[in-house]
């Protein structure tokens, strides 16, 4: 029996099994087996591939990366052209785009790489079409833009989400608050800092047995599910923000981006992209000179300490760091002397003072 057949068999059994408290143990075990088989299939396919495929070896560049995912002929190529000016072949038939086509969206001083990926089909995670290559690129992105055709059934949204989920991508989710640490001995210790009624000790132990883990510490800090625990044990999940864009201009051949109505739509989409990427602008100020407002340093809000800022400029800068002077919303006084761990905010101005 092939791995794909084993996966299908387990999925069928899960569908037949009613979800209730009495079956939670059995379902948890099936989900663990399923996760292991999917990982094996993904790993084996990447080994067989013999390296990257033509058109998918686009180097990561710019301040952030967005992957456009969707079924064939939903308007991804049109969207790339409108937002970046890069021409991506557009036609009235499916599978026009066969490779990964990059463009650069420039906004608020940031350079954002936008990738037009080939259309995926149902079963992509299992190897149909070029789905595995497409989803593998999506795992490297900071944001996924799912493009949907408003004239087609919304069931397509669910199918795409399921395909990405099957490849270990978690859309618009945060990593579960579960501490998991393997040990050499001492057995299994389970603790809870918050009630977790959806995941009992027996189910936890069954999942651990499936992974042949006999010694570990587990601390549940949230109302976790069996799937959350499996994700933490697997350790290879990608938690990526996702935006949905419903299009219909390709169906009705609307090509009037100069009209105020369409300009408003493009601008609103770009602003939403900016918000979801959660980027901030930091301006540099050399000693004795005015701040450089034309070339902000772009960092993610969650990585916006003075140390992160220095590393973005040059890896060696933090070695010679003495202190920084900061003007802006993150300080009480302008300027204020701060250290390496100071958290910067959008449009702060920073002057680095080096050791003598």
């Amino acid at each position: 029996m092939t791995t794909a057949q084993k996966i299908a068999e387990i999925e069928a059994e899960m569908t037949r099994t009613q979800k209730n408290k009495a079956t939670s143990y059995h379902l948890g075990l099936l989900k663990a087996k399923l996760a292991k088989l999917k990982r094996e299939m993904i790993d084996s396919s990447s080994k067989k591939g013999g390296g990257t495929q033509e058109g998918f070896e686009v180097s990561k560049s710019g301040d952030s990366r967005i992957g456009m995912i969707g079924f064939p002929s939903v308007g991804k190529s049109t969207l790339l052209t409108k937002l970046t000016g890069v021409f991506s072949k557009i036609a009235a038939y499916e599978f026009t785009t066969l490779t990964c086509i990059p463009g650069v969206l420039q906004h608020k001083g940031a350079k954002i790489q936008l990738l037009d990926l080939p259309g995926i089909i149902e079963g992509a995670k299992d190897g149909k079409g070029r789905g595995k290559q497409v989803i593998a690129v999506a795992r490297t992105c900071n944001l996924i833009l799912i493009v949907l055709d408003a004239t087609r059934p919304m069931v397509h949204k669910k199918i795409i989400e399921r395909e990405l989920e099957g490849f270990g991508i978690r859309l618009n989710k945060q990593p579960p608050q579960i501490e998991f640490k393997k040990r050499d001995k001492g057995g299994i210790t389970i603790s809870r800092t918050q009630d977790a009624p959806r995941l009992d000790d027996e189910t936890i132990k069954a999942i651990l047995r499936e992974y042949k883990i006999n010694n570990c510490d587990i601390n549940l800090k949230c109302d976790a599910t069996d799937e959350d625990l499996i994700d933490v044990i697997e350790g290879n999940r990608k938690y990526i923000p996702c935006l949905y864009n419903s299009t219909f201009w390709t169906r009705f051949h609307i090509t009037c981006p100069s009209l105020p109505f369409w300009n408003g739509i493009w601008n609103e989409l770009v602003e939403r992209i900016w918000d979801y990427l959660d980027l901030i602008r930091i301006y540099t100020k050399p000693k004795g000179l005015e701040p450089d407002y034309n070339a902000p340093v772009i960092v993610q809000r969650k990585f916006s300490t003075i140390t992160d800022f220095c590393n973005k400029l040059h890896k060696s800068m933090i070695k010679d760091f003495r202190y920084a002077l900061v003007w802006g919303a993150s300080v009480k006084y302008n300027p204020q002397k701060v250290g390496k761990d100071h958290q910067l905010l959008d449009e702060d101005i920073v002057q680095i003072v080096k050791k003598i």
Side-chain angles (χ1 to χ4, degrees):
M1 186 181 292
T2 65
T3 302
Q5 288 171 331
K6 290 177 183 177
I7 288 173
E9 191 175 84
I10 291 174
E11 287 177 338
E13 185 175 349
M14 288 173 64
T15 303
R16 292 193 301 268
T17 305
Q18 288 187 336
K19 293 182 180 180
N20 54 53
K21 203 166 185 178
T23 61
S24 60
Y25 174 95
H26 180 59
L27 284 170
L29 198 57
L30 290 175
K31 289 174 184 177
K33 290 179 178 179
L34 188 63
K36 286 174 61 182
L37 288 169
K38 285 183 176 180
R39 172 166 39 85
E40 288 171 10
M41 189 163 68
I42 292 167
D43 290 345
S44 65
S45 68
S46 61
K47 289 175 183 175
K48 290 176 184 176
T52 56
Q53 298 214 6
E54 184 182 354
F56 282 87
E57 59 277 358
V58 177
S59 299
K60 198 169 185 177
S61 66
D63 299 299
S64 208
R65 186 182 228 193
I66 301 172
M68 291 193 293
I69 302 278
F71 274 75
S73 298
V74 295
K76 297 188 303 299
S77 298
T78 300
L79 199 56
L80 181 77
T81 302
K82 301 302 182 189
L83 294 179
T84 71
V86 172
F87 176 75
S88 183
K89 189 176 179 181
I90 302 168
Y93 53 86
E94 297 188 340
F95 297 105
T96 309
T97 303
L98 300 176
T99 61
C100 178
I101 300 174
V104 177
L105 168 63
Q106 301 199 39
H107 185 61
K108 294 184 178 180
K111 293 180 179 179
I112 301 167
Q113 187 180 51
L114 191 61
L115 303 178
D116 177 13
L117 294 165
I120 65 172
I121 58 176
E122 189 169 7
K125 67 181 187 303
D126 302 321
K128 293 184 180 179
R130 302 191 75 175
K132 285 189 178 180
Q133 290 87 358
V134 171
I135 302 174
V137 173
R139 284 176 61 90
T140 70
C141 294
N142 304 103
L143 173 69
I144 290 174
L145 182 61
I146 292 181
V147 184
L148 302 165
D149 188 335
T151 67
R152 294 182 177 180
M154 285 304 289
V155 70
H156 283 183
K157 173 178 176 289
K158 294 292 183 184
I159 293 172
I160 293 170
E161 289 172 342
R162 188 167 63 244
E163 297 302 318
L164 295 172
E165 185 88 6
F167 221 81
I169 295 175
R170 304 293 178 257
L171 301 175
N172 293 330
K173 292 179 181 178
Q174 294 297 320
Q177 296 298 300
I178 301 174
E179 289 182 354
F180 170 67
K181 186 177 180 181
K182 287 184 180 180
R183 290 186 283 126
D184 294 329
K185 57 184 179 179
I188 295 170
T189 302
I190 302 170
S191 59
R192 289 172 166 80
T193 55
Q194 182 178 321
D195 289 340
R198 294 187 292 176
L199 189 58
D200 58 52
D201 287 6
E202 287 306 308
T203 302
I204 292 173
K205 290 175 181 176
I207 291 170
L208 292 172
R209 278 197 297 272
E210 179 62 30
Y211 281 94
K212 295 181 172 56
I213 298 171
N214 300 311
N215 303 286
C216 70
D217 292 323
I218 290 179
N219 182 16
L220 303 179
K221 295 184 173 182
C222 64
D223 184 12
T225 65
D226 47 11
E227 291 172 343
D228 290 333
L229 178 59
I230 291 166
D231 282 353
V232 170
I233 293 172
E234 286 284 333
N236 62 351
R237 304 314 192 212
K238 292 289 185 179
Y239 297 85
I240 305 176
C242 176
L243 260 177
Y244 299 85
N245 186 66
S246 186
T247 67
F248 54 86
W249 56 79
T250 51
R251 288 287 171 186
F252 296 102
H253 305 287
I254 296 174
T255 55
C256 305
S258 60
L259 293 175
F261 174 75
W262 289 108
N263 282 337
I265 288 179
W266 307 134
N267 292 338
E268 183 179 347
L269 176 59
V270 171
E271 287 299 329
R272 292 290 300 278
I273 286 172
W274 178 264
D275 291 342
Y276 269 64
L277 287 172
D278 206 21
L279 300 174
I280 65 172
R281 297 155 291 175
I282 309 297
Y283 302 111
T284 57
K285 184 187 182 306
K287 188 177 180 180
L289 300 175
E290 291 295 312
D292 185 357
Y293 293 109
N294 295 318
V297 177
I298 307 296
V299 295
Q300 279 190 291
R301 193 181 303 274
K302 63 182 178 181
F303 301 118
S304 58
T305 64
I306 290 291
T307 297
D308 296 321
F309 170 77
C310 288
N311 287 336
K312 187 70 183 284
L313 290 173
H314 199 282
K315 295 294 183 183
S316 64
M317 182 172 285
I318 200 66
K319 295 178 183 177
D320 300 322
F321 178 87
R322 186 180 175 194
Y323 63 86
L325 294 174
V326 176
W327 294 255
S330 71
V331 293
K332 293 181 180 179
Y333 313 105
N334 288 298
Q336 184 171 321
K337 186 177 175 180
V338 302
K340 296 178 182 179
D341 298 328
H342 178 76
Q343 195 77 42
L344 297 166
L345 294 177
D346 190 32
E347 296 198 274
D348 276 355
I349 300 168
V350 178
Q351 180 182 314
I352 301 297
V353 178
K354 296 181 179 180
K355 296 174 185 176
I356 298 174

